[in-house]
Amino acid sequence: MDSNLQEQRSGVNTTNPEGTLVNSESASHKTGVGRLDAQWFFTSKNVVRAGVELRWVDSTLTSTLKDSRTLPQWSALPLADYHLGTLSIQPTQTETLVGGYLENEWTEILPRLTSRVGVRAQSNGDWWSQISPRVALSLEVTKATFIKATGGYYYQQFDNPLQKDPDYRNESLQAQKSTQGILGLEQFLPGNLLLKVEGYHNRLSNLAVKSDQPSPDPLFTNEGYGFNWGV
């Protein structure tokens, strides 16, 4: 049993201006994690790994922040001063998360090609409501040159304090989603140096955003979407 928390990489990373705290009066955060991992070697080149994790979270916050409910989503808080009043909030989070994963790594499934295929699932009440398939491939071109490709589907919970406040949150708000793909080249150089070049594309959906309409109800919805890419 492993009690350490292992965070998963996610392509979703959003910042909301409503999270700009003015004053924090009190805060409490309690969490507990239990984890169990196992692996089976069917051959010297084929291994299957599986694991389960149980995470319990109980957190509360009493604070004030800038009342930016009438500002559009793209407003530049905290860089701009709109002479806004303050808003008292008491966001809470109490939940039990159950997660699991299963993956198969096969060295030289084809000549010089290694694959790792898996799936992760998480439930916080809805039975395995978040299922994330992942795949990774590595092609050995030469002893020092590798072409690698990865892809996957990821979830990330919203972490804006206002989105968790009982007076302002949307109870039907869902986890944010990301579909990510990476293609890269790795070249080992003399002197234990490594040259790595990667290109990535990340498609975002179901983002928790605030409507551009004045005083919307509900304040936050899953209507946000977008993408980013680069090298």
Side-chain angles (χ1 to χ4, degrees):
M1 179 72 71
D2 184 359
S3 61
N4 293 325
L5 175 63
Q6 180 178 349
E7 294 294 338
Q8 300 176 10
R9 181 181 179 186
S10 174
V12 178
N13 183 13
T14 60
T15 301
N16 253 318
E18 289 79 13
T20 305
L21 296 179
V22 176
N23 179 47
S24 179
E25 300 174 8
S26 65
S28 172
H29 181 76
K30 302 175 183 178
T31 182
V33 178
R35 185 182 178 98
L36 180 65
D37 298 277
Q39 61 180 8
W40 299 269
F41 289 89
F42 291 96
T43 69
S44 60
K45 296 183 178 181
N46 184 16
V47 57
V48 172
R49 302 181 181 92
V52 293
E53 180 181 273
L54 177 66
R55 184 190 310 179
W56 170 78
V57 178
D58 183 9
S59 63
T60 59
L61 173 68
T62 301
S63 182
T64 56
L65 49 66
K66 291 288 188 179
D67 187 0
S68 57
R69 290 175 294 171
T70 60
L71 296 180
Q73 177 74 22
W74 41 263
S75 58
L77 280 176
L79 299 180
D81 185 1
Y82 295 93
H83 303 288
L84 301 173
T86 58
L87 191 66
S88 296
I89 61 170
Q90 290 184 312
T92 61
Q93 179 184 12
T94 301
E95 58 185 358
T96 300
L97 304 175
V98 181
Y101 74 92
L102 176 67
E103 69 176 27
N104 184 4
E105 183 174 344
W106 199 307
T107 304
E108 292 189 351
I109 188 172
L110 292 175
R112 298 189 174 186
L113 179 65
T114 296
S115 71
R116 187 172 71 250
V117 179
V119 62
R120 296 176 184 267
Q122 179 172 287
S123 171
N124 58 352
D126 297 331
W127 184 248
W128 301 122
S129 57
Q130 298 176 11
I131 299 177
S132 307
R134 320 285 179 83
V135 61
L137 301 173
S138 177
L139 177 63
E140 181 183 348
V141 181
T142 69
K143 291 296 183 180
T145 305
F146 295 83
I147 296 176
K148 296 187 175 183
T150 62
Y153 195 64
Y154 303 87
Y155 290 88
Q156 178 173 307
Q157 301 294 334
F158 45 87
D159 55 5
N160 187 323
L162 193 56
Q163 294 169 343
K164 297 180 180 181
D165 184 84
D167 293 331
Y168 305 107
R169 66 188 175 194
N170 181 356
E171 294 291 349
S172 62
L173 208 60
Q174 301 176 0
Q176 302 169 114
K177 302 177 183 179
S178 168
T179 304
Q180 184 180 106
I182 301 175
L183 180 62
L185 173 69
E186 292 186 0
Q187 178 66 52
F188 289 90
L189 304 173
N192 290 327
L193 298 178
L194 174 63
L195 174 64
K196 179 185 290 187
V197 179
E198 289 184 343
Y200 68 91
H201 186 275
N202 187 15
R203 184 167 61 87
L204 308 172
S205 61
N206 230 44
L207 299 183
V209 296
K210 181 166 66 68
S211 172
D212 287 343
Q213 301 299 321
S215 301
D217 186 21
L219 187 59
F220 296 98
T221 65
N222 286 116
E223 297 178 346
Y225 63 92
F227 69 92
N228 55 69
W229 58 273
V231 177

